[in-house]
Amino acid sequence: MANYSVHSENDRSKILKALGINNAGELFSFIPGKVLNPEINIPAGLSEMELRDKLNKLAGLNNPVSSFSSFLGGGAYNHYIPSAVNYVTSISQFYTAYTPYQAEISQGTLQYIFEFQSLMCRLNGMDITNASMYDGGSSLAEAVLLSRRATGKKKVILSTTINPQYRQTVKTYVSGLDMEVVEAGHKEGITDIDLLKNTIDEDTCSVVIQNPNYFGNLEEVFKIRNMLDSYPDCLYIVSADPLSLAILKPPSEYGADIVVGDAQCFGNPLSFGGPYLGYFSTREKYLRQMPGRIVGKTIDRDGKDSYTLIYQTREQHIRKVKATSNICTNHSLNVLAATVYLYLLGEEGLKNLASLCIRRANYFYNKLSELPHFKKRYKSNFFSELTISTDLDVDRTLEALYKENIIGGINLGKYYNELSDSILVSFTEMNSESDIDRYIDILKKLQAG
Amino acid sequence: MPDKIFPVKNRRKNKYWTDTTREPEINFLENIPKNILREGKIGLPQLSESQVVRHFTNLARKNYGVDDGIYPLGSCTMKYNPKVNEDIAKNSNFSDIHPCQKTEDVQGTLKVMYELGEMLKEIIGISAITLHPSAGAHGEFCGLLIARKYFEIRNENRKIIIIPDSAHGTNFASAAMAGFNVIEVKSNKEGTIDLKILEELLKQHSSNIALVMITNPNTLGIFEKDILKISSLMHENGSLMYYDGANLNAVIGMVRPGDMGFDIVHLNLHKTFSTPHGGGGPGAGPILVNESLKDFLPVPVVIKKGNKYLLDYDIKNTIGKIKSFYGNFSVCLKAYCYILSAGNSLKEISNDACLNANYLKVKLSKFFDVPYSKNTMHEFVMSAKKYKESGGTALNIAKRLIDYKIHPPTIYFPHIVEEALMVEPTETESLESLENLIGTFEKIVSEIKNNPEVVINSPVSTETKRVDELRALKEPVFKE
Amino acid sequence: MSKIIKYTETYEYISVDNEIGTVGIAEEASDKMGDIYYVELPEVGKKFAKGDEAAVVESAKSAADVFCPVGGEVIEVNSNLESNPEFVSKNPLTDGWLFKIKITEMDELESLMDYEEFKKHVHEEG
């Protein structure tokens, strides 16, 4: 192994001599002979040149979103990432550093995490944000676990308008525990509040919604809060796309207890689904119950502002079975990307970006009326994603678009039985009005049969 | 925070994309109910790109990475991160792929994932794999849920997991999250699993024992040489064997966990497989499981049909999903590149890793006790106990190393050694680097004798001195 | 002072005066933990059996469960600890007491250790 081995034969002899052995193999002598030195069938190591060549060929087998006009969303968003973001995340002291356990030489990492925590709290209005989680789905699952720990109750209600993969993740996360997951259905593309009223009871630890929801619709967040007031122990968990919070009210203002989501949209590439950036925010009263790392501000011996990891006693390496979670890492480098991105865009830039996404969605919606076979599926207000339905075949529709280099959206029939006639279309600054014009033109040309 | 660091008055707006909106005057916000619209500012600063870049460049100066110097953190395997892998991962044909794209358009990505899986299966000696988990702990949780479902389907009520007292905290936490009860097993005098105790536990709890979680070598860097006996005892009992792959760097290429009898294995790609730690993440923690467990893997699994690569959702008894989509692809990609570069000489990694660790142990045992010293592999734990009275606690020694521009080893873990310093050099440290580390420890030991104040007050040379952690806890400030 | 002080294997002490037991953590435990900055105390009126988790003490290094040495009902908690958690580190046997219980099972005290036995136990564990 070629490239990264550092010892010369001379070095190795020196070391062997100091150890009083003849070869490195002697350091493995206690491994049972039966299993020692197995045959491992992997081809010989490639040189850097060969490696690049092979990977270039593999990359050539891919057609990235940039070679299409893509309207894919559903939890992963195509945004322009300024070069300065990758520049910063490529700085060696950031990406080759370890977890900041030694505060005195990790102030860089600690400070940017603290800044991320602060920025997210400004966006969602909550008291405290942690140093990040793996993704929006697992973050939501951890929120549900917190609500169980905090209330001692066993039933969680998930709206079916939450991202289907997030719901699946919650179910898997609680599968080893004594918990009941109940799904509350939707009406007109948003959580059916009457149904919710009939499902919630004294044994409910939390009610979970997503806003804007998976269909792109805006939930009746205040109505749900009012309903929950009759169940003071029950937590209100909201999964919120952080970009939407540039325009929408922070969930703290409609009484959310925990706010989670995925900040991949801030400066992190699509990367075929990972690594993304789960965020977790809550009220101060749940501080001790929070999973994951938290960075706190303090001073050093000379009174200088400094940062350090706090409340590590909640974490696995100290509490063990009593830990609030087993999570041992955060997605630090993704946090860095998001923090740089937020600074580069700033207050105005972020607001403009969110507005632009909504604008594109509305532009598309306004043109829908030209189409005989397509319509907006739900009456509800939408944000920057839109669910449309058709009396034509969805797969055929998407194929027709694809042939013209347009990825039209997600076939919702994949996740919802009643929506096999519907497509989730997502809009960002990467979709121009001409792209949308083309999209509409293609749909116009589609006929029945 | 932003407001204190930056001049808020600056209103420079950066333009990163072109807004081609034809009729910008149209107000579409009217379609959103007023009661849900934000009133007032978010509170983000408005800065020029140059200000932002300067801010982070200065933050980076306060950090220390593997490229700066040795990072002998036990159990973390802080080895060199190859730059070509970073370059390859930046290729937009890999980074610009949406997880919902048609499989026809992502064959390169799927092939990377598939081939990585195949190579890992070969290296580990186990037949099925998932790349979903984002970290070792995530992998543990996934693996334990698989075990849980496995026993459920067989109608066996096995709720106990055995974990050695030297194990990493995540083992315990993952077991609890997966709904198991833990029995902690004390290590014997040599620091390995006490076979007699294990046998007794098997007798006492027999059909209630689901599995044992073993790191091999363990967190003391010592190989569990009775591993084959342990496997056969556990399997005879109908229990499973779980391998915590955190220390794989010690044995990669020399022995395969599958051959040792393990049924479930998690790997840390950010350790043995050189993907960067990133200041805490992202990592990846793939899980390998044997034939009898493959029907429980999370969906989807990457498969090959003919010469096409696909995502298979038809996993009979899947545990479901532990997060959205398919895994941390860019991390997996880097590990894939690393294995392709190493090829069939993986042995050199573990051989050099163990040579380096043993060399350090032999030299440092002049100054520190190494209570568990037999059969050391890629890391070892030394104790600063004898210097505690004079101020040479593990903590103070760690802080003093910082003054010598060396990242401290892991301290106070594992708990079974007092004033523990766990040292893992990895194979990418040169002899000069090792000598430098040894010399530095020697200096510090001498300082403890002759000038303990400088050790107690360290670090003195960094911009930030000893941080008041207690104050951070008593008067917490977690945002601004 | 006819107080009896007994110790548990898990490093708690109980100082008994008639039927009232004052519970805290032994000096040997607070030493190990370092500066304690937070204490989670039980609610008054809560009933515990011997060995139940009754409280949690947290330091920068660790968080430890405090187990109730014998069965009883909590009649008072040390509210000073909210603003002065360091009492537990500095004077665990006096200002740093955690909670008082009305002991329901007096004979359970027999199975606890006196100070000499406890010292031996600590020595053996270390």
Side-chain angles (χ1 to χ4, degrees), chain B residues 174-221:
Chain B
S174 303
M177 267 177 92
F180 288 98
N181 299 317
V182 172
I183 294 185
E184 193 174 313
V185 147
K186 262 189 151 54
S187 306
N188 59 25
K189 279 194 309 274
E190 293 177 348
T192 50
I193 293 175
D194 191 321
L195 266 185
K196 284 222 161 35
I197 296 185
L198 183 66
E199 278 166 331
E200 262 170 52
L201 283 174
L202 285 168
K203 217 188 286 168
Q204 205 187 339
H205 300 279
S206 60
S207 59
N208 287 327
I209 295 180
L211 53 92
V212 59
M213 292 178 85
I214 295 178
T215 316
N216 198 12
N218 62 22
T219 57
L220 297 162

Side-chain angles (χ1 to χ4, degrees), chain B residues 285-302:
Chain B
I287 280 269
L288 292 107
V289 298
N290 68 27
E291 273 305 297
S292 61
L293 298 167
K294 71 176 201 296
D295 288 335
F296 304 96
L297 287 171
V299 287
V301 170
V302 181

Side-chain angles (χ1 to χ4, degrees), chain A residues 312-320, chain B residues 169 415, chain C residues 60-63:
Chain A
Q312 290 179 75
T313 50
R314 301 159 307 108
E315 291 186 63
Q316 44 65 40
H317 59 282
I318 293 176
R319 277 315 285 282
K320 292 192 174 180
Chain B
H415 304 297
Chain C
K61 287 204 287 185
S62 72

Side-chain angles (χ1 to χ4, degrees), chain A residues 264-412:
Chain A
Q264 170 267 328
C265 52
F266 293 158
N268 285 287
L270 289 168
S271 197
F272 199 55
Y276 284 175
L277 180 52
Y279 77 85
F280 192 110
S281 308
T282 186
R283 300 182 178 286
E284 194 166 345
K285 74 189 252 210
Y286 298 117
L287 170 57
R288 299 214 123 58
Q289 302 284 356
M290 265 185 105
R293 304 207 163 112
I294 306 174
V295 171
K297 191 171 188 177
T298 179
I299 54 174
D300 75 349
R301 202 191 55 204
D302 291 345
K304 189 157 165 286
D305 277 348
S306 328
Y307 302 90
T308 187
L309 289 175
I310 56 174
Y311 300 125
Q312 290 179 75
T313 50
R314 301 159 307 108
E315 291 186 63
Q316 44 65 40
H317 59 282
I318 293 176
R319 277 315 285 282
K320 292 192 174 180
V321 253
K322 297 283 174 44
T324 48
S325 165
N326 73 343
I327 188 166
C328 178
T329 51
N330 61 335
H331 274 192
S332 223
L333 211 60
N334 301 97
V335 167
L336 179 57
T339 310
V340 177
Y341 182 85
L342 285 171
Y343 283 148
L344 290 174
L345 265 65
E347 178 94 22
E348 296 305 314
L350 201 68
K351 280 203 170 115
N352 289 341
L353 177 62
S355 306
L356 189 51
C357 298
I358 301 170
R359 185 186 284 284
R360 294 288 182 263
N362 277 276
Y363 181 81
F364 180 91
Y365 169 59
N366 289 334
K367 296 207 120 193
L368 263 188
S369 51
E370 301 170 19
L371 304 172
H373 294 290
F374 295 86
K375 63 178 171 58
K376 178 165 168 272
R377 181 69 157 83
Y378 297 116
K379 289 202 182 71
S380 307
N381 298 109
F382 60 95
F383 195 72
S384 61
E385 287 182 285
L386 181 62
T387 299
I388 62 175
S389 58
T390 177
D391 54 3
L392 302 178
D393 181 74
V394 163
D395 285 331
R396 207 162 60 84
T397 304
L398 291 173
E399 261 313 298
L401 288 161
Y402 182 74
K403 277 204 179 72
E404 301 293 327
N405 250 23
I406 296 177
I407 308 181
I410 295 175
N411 179 344
L412 285 171

Side-chain angles (χ1 to χ4, degrees), chain A residues 1 4-7 12 19 28 30 35 37-38 41-43 45-46 52 54 58-59 62-65 68 73 76 90 92-98 100 102 104-109 111 114-115 117-119 122-123 126-127 134-135 165-166 168-169 172-173 176 222 245 247-249 270-272 274-275 296-302 304 311 316 326 329-330 332-334 343-348 355 358-360 362-363 381 399 402 433-434 437, chain B residues 1-3 5 14 16 21-22 24 26 28 31 35-36 38 41-46 55 59-60 62-63 65-68 71 73 76 81-83 87 90 93 95-98 101-102 105-106 108-109 122 134 137-138 148 170 174 177 179 223 250 254 276-282 319-322 324-326 328-330 336 340-345 347-348 351-352 356 375 399 407 429 457 464-468 473 476-480:
Chain A
M1 202 244 338
Y4 313 116
S5 216
V6 298
H7 291 322
R12 282 205 190 86
L19 299 180
F28 298 86
F30 39 74
V35 295
N37 280 316
N41 284 318
I42 293 188
L46 301 176
R52 273 191 191 275
K54 182 179 169 89
L58 285 171
N62 279 351
N63 293 313
V65 287
F68 299 94
S90 302
S92 146
Q93 283 76 16
F94 284 136
Y95 82 88
T96 72
Y98 186 63
Q102 296 293 348
E104 296 80 11
I105 43 169
S106 314
Q107 288 298 296
T109 301
Q111 188 170 335
F114 183 83
E115 293 182 2
Q117 290 173 185
S118 306
L119 292 173
R122 291 178 188 206
L123 273 169
M126 303 306 281
D127 297 330
Y134 308 130
D135 80 324
Q165 293 193 66
Y166 285 19
Q168 206 176 1
T169 303
T172 300
Y173 260 68
F222 285 101
L245 297 177
I247 299 283
L248 297 179
K249 256 199 172 63
L270 289 168
S271 197
F272 199 55
K297 191 171 188 177
T298 179
I299 54 174
D300 75 349
R301 202 191 55 204
D302 291 345
K304 189 157 165 286
Y311 300 125
Q316 44 65 40
N326 73 343
T329 51
N330 61 335
S332 223
L333 211 60
N334 301 97
Y343 283 148
L344 290 174
L345 265 65
E347 178 94 22
E348 296 305 314
S355 306
I358 301 170
R359 185 186 284 284
R360 294 288 182 263
N362 277 276
Y363 181 81
N381 298 109
E399 261 313 298
Y402 182 74
E433 284 175 346
S434 354
D437 289 339
Chain B
M1 229 297 302
D3 311 313
I5 296 167
N14 303 308
Y16 290 109
T21 307
R22 296 184 203 118
I26 297 179
F28 46 80
N31 295 333
N35 73 339
I36 203 179
R38 178 184 280 271
K41 288 187 179 305
I42 306 164
L44 300 179
Q46 199 69 53
H55 172 64
L59 283 188
K62 305 185 197 188
N63 254 22
V66 161
D67 285 350
D68 289 291
Y71 234 107
L73 282 168
C76 301
N81 308 129
K83 303 315 173 205
D87 263 0
K90 287 197 173 76
N93 268 32
S95 63
D96 255 9
I97 305 285
H98 192 287
Q101 283 186 253
K102 279 177 162 216
D105 290 324
V106 305
T109 294
E122 179 65 17
S134 283
H138 208 205
R148 188 191 174 91
T170 53
S174 303
M177 267 177 92
F223 191 80
M254 297 298 285
H277 277 76
I319 57 169
K321 290 189 80 62
I322 54 171
S324 290
F325 305 122
Y326 328 118
N328 286 350
F329 176 72
S330 58
Y336 175 67
L340 286 178
S341 303
N344 55 7
S345 57
K347 273 188 214 196
E348 273 188 50
N351 282 10
D352 277 355
N356 282 0
N375 297 342
K399 299 301 182 191
H407 193 285
E429 291 307 317
N457 292 322
T464 301
K465 309 287 185 291
R466 193 79 69 106
V467 169
D468 190 344
L473 290 163
V477 176
F478 20 72
K479 67 171 179 187
E480 259 174 12

Side-chain angles (χ1 to χ4, degrees), chain A residues 147-162:
Chain A
S147 73
R148 174 177 176 267
R149 277 196 301 276
T151 62
K153 297 180 195 234
K154 304 216 164 97
K155 179 159 128 182
V156 59
I157 304 177
L158 305 177
S159 169
T160 49
T161 61
I162 296 170

Side-chain angles (χ1 to χ4, degrees), chain B residues 43-79:
Chain B
L44 300 179
Q46 199 69 53
L47 307 158
S48 69
E49 183 176 305
S50 55
Q51 284 175 304
V52 176
V53 171
R54 217 171 251 182
H55 172 64
F56 287 99
T57 303
N58 284 306
L59 283 188
R61 275 205 195 95
K62 305 185 197 188
N63 254 22
Y64 179 105
V66 161
D67 285 350
D68 289 291
I70 190 175
Y71 234 107
L73 282 168
S75 253
C76 301
T77 313
M78 294 295 287
K79 63 172 77 180

